[in-house]
Each structure stands twice: as C-alpha cells, then as structure tokens.
Amino acid sequence: MVTRRHFLATSAALTLLPGVALAEEKSDVVIIGAGLSGLNAANLLVEQGFKVIVLDANNVVGGRVRTHHTANGPIDVGASQIGRSYARVIDACWRYGLKLIPEDRDLLKFGAHYQNHWIDNATWASHPLNRCEGEERSIPPLMMGSRLAGKYNPLKNIDDWLDPKFSEYDVSLRTLLRQKGHSAQAIELAALSAPGIGIDETSVLRMWQEETRGALDRKFGTDVKTDAHKDHPFGEAHTRDIVNGLTSTSNIEGGCHLLPLAMARPLGDAVRVNKKVVHIELSSSAGAVTCADGSRYRGRFIISAVPFTVLRKVKISGPPGPSVAQAIATMPYANTARLYLTVDPFWLEDGLPPSFSTDGPLGMFWAIDNHKGTGPHRAMIVLVSAVAREITKRGTEQAVPFLLSELARLRPASAGKVRVNTYMDWGADPLQLGCGFSLAPGQVNSFARTMLEPWEVMHFAGEHTRRSDFGMESAMESGERAALEIMARAA
C-alpha cells in the first residue's frame, strides 16, 4: 500500500493558492479527462487508497473511444483496434467481462484516381503519367509517401525515435526525400499519402515511431510474415490466424465505448461529466482547478489527460513551466474524418477497383468485404492530412452531401447505391480538436524527450504523450505512468 503521510502535511498549503474558497472540493488527485488514460490512472490510484476526482467536459466518459449506434448496429468512430500486444487493454477487457471479437474490416482491392485518370497499380510502372525515376517507378502512386518513409527507417527498438543519435531525422518527409535525391514527382506523390499530418507538417521520427511500433504489433506472438507491399496507404491488414485466442486485430463486441464505461463504473460519483476546466492553478505543493460552471476542485496532484490542443485553451497559473509548456502551446494533433456507409457493390457495374485513393478532396474510399461478393457492403470515405483539414472547414452539414456528390462524380455507378450510417470529424469536435499524436519537424529535438516532466504538481497522460506504445495501449500506458509518478512522489 502506498503511504499518504504527506497529504495531511501538505493540506494546509492548498489554502495558499490564489482564489481558493472554502467551498472547493478536496481530493488527493484531480484528473482532467475521462478517457482511457484518465480512467486508468484513477482506478490505479484508488486501488492504492488515493481519493480522486475525474472531470470531463463531455456529457459521457470515453474521450476518443466513441461508438455511434445506428440502424445497422454499433459503429466505432474512434479508437477501436486492439492489437495482440495491447496487454493493458486486453487485460482490462477480460477484467470487466468484455468480449473481444475479430475485427471484420477486410478491404477490397485498391486502385487510384490520379490526375483525372484511373490507375491500375499493376501497370503504373509503364503509365504515361509516371515521371518518376528508377525504383520509384514501380511504387503505386498513392503508396509513395508510406513506402519511401519506410524505406529509410533505421529504428530497431520502439523507443529509438527518442534517442539523440537519430536527431538528424527530426525533419519533414519532404526534406528527407530531397536529401535522398528523389524525383520531383515522387515527392509530389508522397505528399498525397505521407503518414501523419502531412509531408511538411510531421517529423519523420514521429512517422517512424508509429511504423516501428506497428511492426512489433503485427508480428507479436507469431512467425507469420506480413506483406510489406500492401496496396493502400493507411489502415492495417488484418490476419486471422489465432494466437492466444486472438486474431491480429480485435474489437469489443457491442462497441469499444463499453470499455471506458466499465472503467468508470467502479469510480462511482468520483467521475464528473459536463465539467469543462477553464483554469488550473499550480504551486510546488498543490493544485486547484476551476470549471466553467464555477465549481472548483483542489488536490495535492493534478493529472492532465486531455490533448494539448485542448489544454492550451485552459488558463494555467503558477511558476513558469518546463518543456511541457512549449509542447502544450505548439504540439500539433492529427485529424481523421470518416463517413460510414452501406453500399450496394457498384464496382460490379463499372468494373473499377472497389476501394481507391484519390489526389482530390474525397481522400480514400474503403470498400469492406462482406465475404459474399454480392449484396450490401459496409464502406467508408476516409480523410486524413490536408483533405481532413479542408473537410473540417465545411462543417458536418455541408461535408456529408459534398462527399457523396464527389463519390458520385468519380463513380457514377454509385448513384442510388449509397446509404449514410454516420459521420465523424474529430477535428470538428471542440473537446478533442483532432484524433492523434503528432510532432512537427524539430519538435522531437526541441521538447519531446523531456515534455513529460511534471509542471509543479501537474502530471501528464494521454495518447499524445506516448513513448513506446501507440493507439489505445499508449493511452492506458500513459495513465499508468502518471499514476506511478504520483505514487512515488507521495511515498
């Protein structure tokens, strides 16, 4: 059991914070954000005897784990993929009695629509639009970014991206490809499928962190070789070989939002929703939090488990912050917007590839195998990078009809064969302002290695604070890390 002997000794210091009122609610730890990281930290701290309060601005827990319930069943519009190496997530699912099921999202054959032409990847090398040079010519046009980024990845271990010996790679993908002597068209094509926010906006080290961790997950517990030459730039291929009862990627039956709901349940009324934090006051011995509704909470420690894009909108008072202050102010957040559809297989009529990537505002169309060939299929229009930023500007009411019209323009055979299930644009969600960890060129060297150092009594968690994990597992790991940091300081 972790001791709390310092809590009584420091409780008097709490009253020294500016503006503290007697009506403030006291707690050992105030946690901002009730996503996976905040809830995991809360449960671990409660198990060790700490009193916690968890605040979330939304009207429901979960953060970016969100399930929309539609006429065609639950659809996970946020975090949903659980790899075999996600030990903390898998353990939590088993502990809370949630059933893991194989992900059913096998994508049908991909093609490309580039410069108003339909491209067959098999014949691209000899296509008249192909002005690439040497080995570049054989790379499918909308695979150029991910393929070339991966070609130069020197990382062997999942935390190598933070090793100063790789600091020269804290540059944009465009800079790296120019250094390596790639052709102008290869760089132009790479811009259409660069991992992260974009070819100029994302550090290559951040791209390689994701790729290196993803490779570990794909081969975890199996000797099966994965295909390094998949035909689509985003999204993992799912292998159905069973290892320890799991396929390569699992989901939660009934929707992944069941996990944060289950994690919140043992915390009871310690979890407070509709609590938008507007002010955080810090000292060396205590912290206080004020919400938009005027409610105030104070504790010996604070954990911020919300994205830095959201935290930077909160007033933080107290001594100057360490490098994390720079991260809060400037660290970007990637975005994804997706339109979830049910479609009749119009590709059987027009003879074009079922799934395709484009160099236009549609982004990607993913046709999902229904394992029957005919009849309704699930599908998604997936927008990342620059096209995701542009669609956010339209707003949901304009975005959905625009995307449907663009699909009909490119694939006239789709007219009358597409039905909308739901839509999610994480960049338009004011409580998230994006959907994933990113770092701009130069930011690994500038602050990423030290940005998790506490700011006085405030510790940091969330997927955006990842070190050696990614996805849902990085959220769980970060909550555990923050909880252990506080336990060590309180001992």
Side-chain angles (χ1 to χ4, degrees), residues 96-375:
Y96 294 114
L98 303 177
K99 183 179 180 181
L100 292 172
I101 57 175
E103 181 173 69
D104 186 12
R105 200 173 74 180
D106 300 330
L107 303 185
L108 295 173
K109 182 181 177 180
F110 256 78
H113 189 263
Y114 174 63
Q115 293 190 1
N116 295 316
H117 288 77
W118 286 101
I119 304 297
D120 183 346
N121 290 341
T123 60
W124 168 246
S126 58
H127 198 283
L129 287 176
N130 190 340
R131 303 184 307 280
C132 295
E133 300 171 2
E135 295 180 354
E136 301 168 350
R137 294 185 61 84
S138 64
I139 301 175
L142 298 179
M143 285 296 297
M144 192 68 71
S146 57
R147 196 72 62 82
L148 291 183
K151 177 180 180 179
Y152 299 109
N153 184 356
L155 308 186
K156 303 300 181 184
N157 301 308
I158 55 180
D159 57 355
D160 278 351
W161 69 287
L162 292 168
D163 192 324
K165 73 180 182 181
F166 297 110
S167 61
E168 66 183 286
Y169 297 113
D170 190 15
V171 297
S172 70
L173 182 58
R174 186 188 301 276
T175 296
L176 178 68
L177 297 184
R178 283 176 173 168
Q179 291 173 348
K180 299 297 184 181
H182 283 283
S183 68
Q185 189 187 33
I187 296 174
E188 170 198 322
L189 289 170
L192 299 174
S193 61
I197 296 177
I199 192 171
D200 297 307
E201 296 87 354
T202 307
S203 171
V204 170
L205 287 175
R206 181 269 175 211
M207 297 180 186
W208 287 344
Q209 187 275 336
E210 182 112 352
E211 180 184 47
T212 305
R213 180 59 177 83
L216 170 68
D217 193 70
R218 289 190 295 274
K219 66 182 181 182
F220 188 81
T222 178
D223 293 326
V224 174
K225 304 296 182 183
T226 58
D227 183 10
H229 299 289
K230 64 181 184 179
D231 61 359
H232 52 283
F234 300 96
E236 295 296 345
H238 180 211
T239 58
R240 295 180 179 275
D241 52 304
I242 302 293
V243 178
N244 294 328
L246 299 172
T247 58
S248 66
T249 307
S250 297
N251 303 140
I252 296 174
E253 186 175 57
C256 286
H257 191 238
L258 292 174
L259 177 56
L261 289 176
M263 294 172 68
R265 198 166 295 120
L267 298 170
D269 62 5
V271 179
R272 317 289 172 81
V273 296
N274 296 310
K275 293 291 183 179
K276 181 180 179 180
V277 172
V278 295
H279 190 192
I280 300 170
E281 301 162 75
L282 299 173
S283 77
S284 61
S285 58
V289 173
T290 302
C291 295
D293 63 2
S295 59
R296 289 172 60 86
Y297 306 87
R298 56 175 173 165
R300 175 67 179 91
F301 297 105
I302 294 172
I303 295 176
S304 170
V306 295
F308 288 158
T309 45
V310 175
L311 186 59
R312 72 182 56 139
K313 297 179 180 296
V314 177
K315 180 181 178 181
I316 302 177
S317 302
S323 59
V324 70
Q326 184 181 358
I328 294 169
T330 64
M331 187 172 163
Y333 213 39
N335 185 35
T336 295
R338 298 190 180 193
L339 180 59
Y340 298 81
L341 307 167
T342 298
V343 303
D344 297 322
F346 54 83
W347 48 88
L348 298 179
E349 179 179 331
D350 64 18
L352 293 171
S355 302
F356 59 95
S357 299
T358 79
D359 60 350
L362 187 72
M364 295 174 284
F365 179 84
W366 291 1
I368 301 172
D369 194 351
N370 71 353
H371 312 294
K372 294 184 292 185
T374 60

Side-chain angles (χ1 to χ4, degrees), residues 15-34:
T15 61
L16 300 179
L17 290 167
V20 169
L22 292 177
E24 288 181 336
E25 188 171 350
K26 299 178 182 179
S27 181
D28 296 337
V29 186
V30 179
I31 299 174
I32 305 169

